[in-house]
Amino acid sequence: MTISEPSISVEDMSVERGGHVALTGITFEVGPGTLMGILGPNGAGKSTLFEAIAGLLPVAHGSLTVRGIERNGALAYVPQRDSINWRFPATIQDVVMMGRGNNIGWFRRPSGQDREMVRSCLERVNLWDERTALVDRLSGGQRQRVFIARALAQEASIILMDEAFSGVDVAAQEDIIVVLQSLRDEGKIVIISTHDLTNIAERFDRILCINHHMCAYGPPEEAFTPEVLEELFGSHGLEFTHHHVDPHNQDEHEGHLH
């Protein structure tokens, strides 16, 4: 079976949660080699969108097409950290090996090739030396790198990370972004949701702004208009605009959003 390049195409999509419309009017396309940010306030529907893309919630209206995940496990979804049970006694290496589950099956012992894949993935995120550490003792940044390594072990072509920077310090965020940008450069689709305006412009190729409906989609310099930011964040968005967006100086806009 030929595996197509990864892509996500959404047309006028609405998604319901608990009998209520949580998202409506969402339209965008994203192709291989894209690092995309989903921006919106808390409760805007970012997790709902991810769950729809991951196939965990049905589409109530419109269409959603995800390609390039014909092989089992080719889409990796990392939910918000508050929804993950961190108390199970697993090591970093154990968690990353779970990413091989769709490849090796749950009833066969990992092969030498599987172990080498896990080692390679952990080395890529600089966690091989800490492989025996328990995940419940890791920092927020380390945990996110563990899940990136698991997605790599899963050989995912599409990676969804919900609030990936929540509880992660600035230095750790930069380490994570470097890894994700390298995955983007390999042709993968990487999508991160966030409610944090800082450091947005230089991080992502495309931005989808949502607040229960689509407010804007495109390159950051096009998506971040004063009107959109006010719709997303009210007076805080306007304050951000006044301090960081100069419509007469796009270079300054792109270079000083931090």
Side-chain angles (χ1 to χ4, degrees), residues 25-192:
I26 306 298
T27 298
F28 69 89
E29 291 189 8
V30 57
T34 304
L35 180 57
M36 173 177 164
I38 299 178
L39 181 68
N42 288 325
K46 301 186 293 296
S47 298
T48 297
L49 177 57
F50 273 157
E51 290 178 29
I53 295 172
L56 302 176
L57 284 176
V59 173
H61 175 81
S63 64
L64 164 65
T65 303
V66 181
R67 296 186 178 89
I69 59 170
E70 291 85 351
R71 176 177 40 75
N72 287 340
L75 184 149
Y77 171 42
V78 181
Q80 292 188 36
R81 63 176 187 163
D82 290 344
S83 64
I84 299 171
N85 179 9
W86 296 106
R87 297 179 180 177
F88 58 94
T91 67
I92 289 175
Q93 192 168 15
D94 292 335
V95 172
V96 178
M97 185 62 76
M98 292 175 189
R100 301 298 295 164
N102 288 319
N103 301 76
I104 67 176
W106 294 111
F107 301 103
R108 182 172 69 79
R109 293 180 64 84
S111 66
Q113 182 178 2
D114 296 317
R115 293 189 181 92
E116 184 56 36
M117 168 67 83
V118 168
R119 175 175 183 142
S120 174
C121 295
L122 284 172
E123 287 178 340
R124 186 161 181 178
V125 299
N126 296 316
L127 283 176
W128 175 248
D129 291 342
E130 289 80 31
R131 62 190 177 277
T132 59
L134 296 175
V135 293
D136 63 351
R137 299 180 181 178
L138 302 180
S139 68
Q142 287 174 319
R143 288 175 178 176
Q144 293 294 4
R145 284 188 285 147
V146 168
F147 281 114
I148 293 172
R150 188 179 69 172
L152 291 171
Q154 189 177 331
E155 300 181 69
S157 56
I158 298 176
I159 301 172
L160 313 176
M161 301 187 70
D162 196 356
E163 294 289 356
F165 302 136
S166 178
V168 179
D169 63 47
V170 173
Q173 287 183 26
E174 295 306 319
D175 291 340
I176 292 168
I177 281 293
V178 167
V179 177
L180 296 179
Q181 286 174 334
S182 71
L183 298 179
R184 180 268 316 272
D185 294 343
E186 293 172 5
K188 300 181 187 298
I189 293 175
V190 182
I191 306 180
I192 301 173

